[in-house]
Amino acid sequence: MRGGSDAGREGSGDHLRHKVTITVNGVTTTHEVEPRLLLVHYLRDVLGLTGTHIGCDTSQCGACTVLMDGKAVKSCTVLAIQADGAHITTIEGLASDGQLHPLQEAFWEHHGLQCGFCTPGMIMASVQLLHDHPDPTDEEIRKGLEGNVCRCTGYHNIVKAVKEAARVLREQPAAVSEKA
């Protein structure tokens, strides 16, 4: 019989596994994971959601940014067990009913991407940015996204895309509350 400190753990050979229940893009799943499993690997390898990219593995590039309980986090710095009970939104969870999120649409329309590797993280960080600053200046956008690195675009079109999405979201307030 287990003591209280072992609650939620399952012994398996040399590894202690933890049971986690995480809601990702509105779907709740439960898995047993190793304590060191990063959230980004949980999303990609366990759930098959490969839209969240692994860039640097050291929280420098932001390619792995997702929303955890509505806040942007770099999923390479969060353990899956830390996300137990959380609601996670990935880039795959932004679009609904076949309609791109206004940020996705704006990145497409304003060429806010080139190779596209950083784009999911940029968009997810922008969701948080627009939640906090619904009518951001160019400077606020650049400051808000400074933890996300793009090696291709020079950021000009990313800023244009975020400004356009902000305009659209202000005109469609229901989209903000549903997606942020």
Side-chain angles (χ1 to χ4, degrees):
M1 180 158 202
R2 289 186 208 145
S5 64
D6 290 333
R9 294 182 182 178
E10 296 293 328
S12 173
D14 295 332
H15 300 101
L16 289 177
R17 298 178 70 82
H18 291 256
K19 186 178 286 185
V20 295
T21 300
I22 304 172
T23 301
V24 180
N25 301 331
V27 177
T28 302
T29 59
T30 299
H31 292 95
E32 291 186 8
V33 300
E34 293 188 21
R36 296 178 301 159
L37 182 68
L38 294 172
L39 179 59
V40 67
H41 293 295
Y42 178 80
L43 296 170
R44 291 180 58 85
D45 302 338
V46 176
L47 299 183
L49 297 172
T50 57
T52 302
H53 292 164
I54 301 170
C56 64
D57 244 354
T58 59
S59 78
Q60 300 298 309
C61 74
C64 65
T65 303
V66 298
L67 300 179
M68 184 165 136
D69 294 330
K71 300 290 184 191
V73 298
K74 293 177 180 175
S75 59
C76 75
T77 63
V78 178
L79 297 170
I81 59 174
Q82 291 175 303
D84 187 23
H87 291 259
I88 305 296
T89 304
T90 69
I91 192 71
E92 292 95 338
L94 282 185
S96 64
D97 300 326
Q99 296 290 319
L100 293 177
H101 184 279
L103 273 162
Q104 293 170 309
E105 189 71 36
F107 269 68
W108 176 271
E109 290 295 325
H110 293 276
H111 308 286
L113 57 101
Q114 195 162 331
C115 81
F117 192 82
C118 71
T119 306
M122 285 285 183
I123 290 174
M124 299 311 290
S126 297
V127 171
Q128 170 82 54
L129 171 72
L130 295 182
H131 181 266
D132 295 343
H133 302 280
D135 190 12
T137 64
D138 288 7
E139 185 176 328
E140 287 171 328
I141 293 169
R142 290 180 185 279
K143 179 78 174 165
L145 296 179
E146 67 184 12
N148 292 70
V149 176
C150 175
R151 296 178 182 157
C152 304
T153 66
Y155 301 94
H156 180 71
N157 289 345
I158 291 172
V159 172
K160 284 175 38 180
V162 173
K163 284 192 77 123
E164 174 61 13
R167 184 192 64 75
V168 170
L169 288 168
R170 284 192 310 272
E171 294 174 0
Q172 302 173 350
V176 174
S177 63
E178 292 171 10
K179 295 296 179 183

